[in-house]
Amino acid sequence: MNQDDNILLPGQPVTIPNGAAPDLGGGLYLKDGVIRASLVGKLSRVGNTLTIPRPRPHPPAPESVVLGSVIRLSPLQAVISITVVDGIPLPQGEDFTGVIRVNDVRATEKDKVKLGECFRGGDVVRGIVLSLGDSRSYYVSTARNDLGVIFATSEAGATMDPVSWQEMRCPKTGKLEKRKCAKPDGL
Amino acid sequence: MAQITSFDRRRVNGPDDSFPPIFSDEDQPGSSSSSPLQRESRKPKDIRPIFLQTGLITQANGSAYIETGNSKVVCAVYGPRQAKNTSYSEKGKLNVEVKFAPFASQRRKVPNRDAEDRSLAVLIHQAIVPSVRLELFPKSSMDVFLTVIENDGIQSCGTAGTIAASAALADAGIEMLGLVVSCAGSVMSNGEIWLDPTTRELEHSRASLTLSCMPALGLITNVSQTGQVTPQEAIQCMDACEERCSDIHMVVASALHKNQSAL
């Protein structure tokens, strides 16, 4: 029963622990000077920020790290289907559409980017959401070392390994293919 | 000819005509033999007991099943998903759809014939939309699907639907200002106010009123009224409904607590 008491419900006032006024994170709101919960869940405090953590999938927001696969390529933009937002997979069929424009692929020599040498259809890409974009898609950027292609198959059909930030090697044929690779974690 | 046009291959088709079973008189508690102006089995300001459970539909992001007396409603919430074919919108969109099961009413109903389900959907949408923090869901839409399994009093379908939709939204983890609960009352022909009327009781009512509110915040989200009432009666009815709403809020809260601690 005591555990039940820690679960907050939408609209329930939150009693703030003593000390400096905390910042409000997700799942909380301030109305008429009272902090209230807007989700079902338990309160957690990280640093000076109070939140109700939400394990459920949510739509991308600016600064979210997303994973998606390339579904369409044109000289100007790559269209990706976003399936994971901030590490939480979206339900089947509820993917969001993202667009990587040619000048959002990398941070340097933006004008020399050829999209065909950075992505191919079916590649899985890690990116960061720049903005909400237009009515149809979110704008995504890969202009960071840890962002880019994280999974790709070669023409021979094998999963390739990254060898540099611009190239991947096929383990079957040994051929090099051009990709904008993400720096693997822990390197 | 009419029968052929109404035949829908995609559904399990019932018989062309169906009739309610005929019960012997003693089986029917509220039969016309007793005075229609004397409420049986409960007091005028009492509502039928509510059973509410969330998270029954595993495919949906959030769901709720509610039963009050003979009124039974299921609700499923999907989303937030990307709104397709719409222009850019800073706020999210909430879609509410209500469907009556063909067997929900006394007589078998052909689906999508009357506007009853759509007007109920509008009522439920108006009741819950002020509570949802749509500004946090740009470019997204959320779908709320309600199915009326059994209908005993159209008002109670609306109230049960509102409660179920709000509980399902909370279950889906969609940010809300507060839980919305709803209560209906009807003014009987003798001027008495009966809360949560059944179909049979509605036949003897002069007017009815549905009130939806967020008891946690003390805010009313929607009031809808049909029929003829004096202002005093309407205010009396709203007060009675609001009082009951805090009881219903406890039911919703305990259902959500139960589901959350079972995880």
Side-chain angles (χ1 to χ4, degrees):
Chain A
M1 201 57 217
N2 208 0
Q3 265 199 328
D4 272 16
D5 292 342
N6 294 331
I7 296 172
L8 295 164
L9 296 174
Q12 195 171 330
V14 176
T15 45
I16 316 155
N18 286 331
D23 300 326
L24 297 186
L28 294 165
Y29 67 96
L30 186 73
K31 187 179 161 66
D32 301 334
V34 184
I35 298 172
R36 293 174 190 271
S38 64
L39 287 172
V40 185
K42 285 179 186 161
L43 198 65
S44 80
R45 184 170 192 158
V46 182
N48 200 31
T49 314
L50 280 177
T51 54
I52 297 177
R54 174 169 53 168
R56 305 219 181 228
H58 55 270
E63 305 286 291
S64 309
V65 175
V66 296
L67 297 187
S69 57
V70 177
I71 51 174
R72 207 161 44 237
L73 267 178
S74 78
L76 290 176
Q77 59 183 36
V79 180
I80 62 170
S81 150
I82 297 168
T83 45
V84 180
V85 179
D86 288 331
I88 304 164
L90 298 167
Q92 187 75 41
E94 292 193 8
D95 47 341
F96 291 87
T97 323
V99 164
I100 306 173
R101 289 171 300 179
V102 68
N103 38 3
D104 292 332
V105 172
R106 61 187 195 204
T108 52
E109 296 187 87
K110 287 179 179 180
D111 44 347
K112 291 196 180 138
V113 175
K114 281 182 188 154
L115 265 187
E117 295 179 355
C118 296
F119 306 114
R120 284 293 163 91
D123 289 0
V124 178
V125 176
R126 186 197 291 139
I128 192 162
V129 176
L130 287 176
S131 77
L132 296 175
D134 56 17
S135 65
R136 250 175 261 134
S137 43
Y138 291 84
Y139 287 150
V140 178
S141 165
T142 58
R144 231 164 62 182
N145 281 349
D146 59 325
L147 304 176
V149 176
I150 53 172
F151 174 90
T153 47
S154 67
E155 278 175 33
T159 304
M160 294 194 290
D161 309 316
V163 288
S164 77
W165 72 279
Q166 286 195 101
E167 283 169 321
M168 286 181 124
R169 186 188 286 124
C170 170
K172 244 185 188 169
T173 59
K175 256 190 188 168
L176 290 174
E177 285 188 25
K178 289 213 162 178
R179 291 291 197 287
K180 197 292 180 187
C181 300
K183 188 176 181 178
D185 292 333
L187 259 184
Chain B
M1 196 61 207
Q3 281 166 12
I4 293 163
T5 50
S6 68
F7 186 81
D8 185 349
R9 253 180 348 103
R10 290 163 298 185
R11 291 179 189 276
V12 178
N13 287 286
D16 292 338
D17 275 314
S18 69
F19 301 96
I22 299 158
F23 297 103
S24 56
D25 271 352
E26 60 265 28
D27 286 348
Q28 270 181 301
S31 61
S32 50
S33 58
S34 64
S35 158
L37 296 177
Q38 191 74 53
R39 204 170 205 190
E40 281 147 36
S41 70
R42 56 183 163 134
K43 295 199 190 89
K45 298 280 164 66
D46 280 354
I47 56 169
R48 289 171 281 180
I50 293 174
F51 172 80
L52 177 71
Q53 195 169 348
T54 54
L56 280 175
I57 303 170
T58 47
Q59 298 98 312
N61 285 6
S63 62
Y65 170 75
I66 188 167
E67 196 176 310
T68 103
N70 280 335
S71 289
K72 301 179 182 86
V73 181
V74 265
C75 175
V77 173
Y78 295 87
R81 55 160 74 110
Q82 189 169 14
K84 295 260 155 71
N85 310 326
T86 45
S87 54
Y88 178 87
S89 67
E90 202 65 34
K91 284 172 110 190
K93 254 183 83 180
L94 188 75
N95 303 316
V96 179
E97 206 169 286
V98 177
K99 279 192 176 133
F100 279 85
F103 46 82
S105 311
Q106 284 287 321
R107 283 278 175 115
R108 190 189 121 80
K109 255 212 268 193
V110 181
N112 260 332
R113 271 298 158 84
D114 50 16
E116 203 172 34
D117 41 5
R118 266 151 282 165
S119 62
L120 208 56
V122 170
L123 180 83
I124 293 170
H125 180 264
Q126 285 176 346
I128 57 175
V129 93
S131 77
V132 184
R133 297 177 68 192
L134 288 173
E135 71 277 7
L136 297 177
F137 301 97
K139 293 173 63 178
S140 306
S141 72
M142 283 150 273
D143 296 309
V144 178
F145 295 110
L146 292 129
T147 308
V148 179
I149 298 174
E150 199 173 335
N151 164 13
D152 193 2
I154 190 69
Q155 319 292 335
S156 73
C157 285
T159 58
T162 306
I163 299 164
S166 188
L169 284 169
D171 183 42
I174 288 167
E175 301 209 13
M176 303 193 288
L177 296 177
L179 295 166
V180 179
V181 294
S182 180
C183 185
S186 60
V187 183
M188 307 309 287
S189 46
N190 63 355
E192 246 184 86
I193 288 166
W194 289 9
L195 292 186
D196 194 17
T198 62
T199 307
R200 186 179 297 278
E201 289 163 356
L202 278 173
E203 286 165 14
H204 303 287
S205 72
R206 180 147 54 81
S208 51
L209 187 141
T210 307
L211 178 126
S212 308
C213 62
M214 290 188 270
L217 300 167
L219 295 175
I220 288 170
T221 58
N222 189 35
V223 180
S224 103
Q225 181 240 309
T226 54
Q228 287 187 320
V229 275
T230 62
Q232 285 86 353
E233 282 169 340
I235 289 165
Q236 262 180 33
C237 196
M238 277 158 67
D239 285 343
C241 285
E242 207 180 349
E243 203 177 298
R244 276 288 159 261
C245 275
S246 50
D247 296 342
I248 302 168
H249 190 252
M250 298 290 282
V251 174
V252 181
S254 72
L256 287 171
H257 268 304
K258 212 168 129 195
N259 192 46
Q260 189 73 12
S261 44
L263 288 178

